[in-house]
Amino acid sequence: MALIAASVMRRVLPSVGMLAVRSRFTDMITYGVLGVAITLLALVMEPKPLLEIPFLESAVRFTVR
């Protein structure tokens, strides 16, 4: 959730001073994608997942064989 918040803050805040080495768009996309990915991974963790993805079990079984 912190990365998603960082993405929103990067969009809202006017400037970040000397820390700005990348473009605002790159920061927003990177923080947003990583934040969503980590949040989804946390929601599907075992033993009691809060989010069920139907094809995930078969995909893992196929790749781990």
Side-chain angles (χ1 to χ4, degrees), residues 25-48:
F25 179 76
T26 303
D27 281 346
M28 286 180 359
I29 296 300
T30 304
Y31 293 158
V33 168
L34 288 175
V36 168
I38 291 171
T39 303
L40 286 176
L41 285 172
L43 290 175
V44 299
M45 278 179 44
E46 294 291 336
K48 296 179 183 176

Side-chain angles (χ1 to χ4, degrees), residues 3-37:
L3 284 172
I4 296 171
S7 175
V8 171
M9 287 174 31
R10 182 68 169 116
R11 173 68 178 136
V12 174
L13 294 176
S15 70
V16 291
M18 297 284 293
L19 296 175
V21 294
R22 297 174 303 269
S23 71
R24 183 176 301 223
F25 179 76
T26 303
D27 281 346
M28 286 180 359
I29 296 300
T30 304
Y31 293 158
V33 168
L34 288 175
V36 168

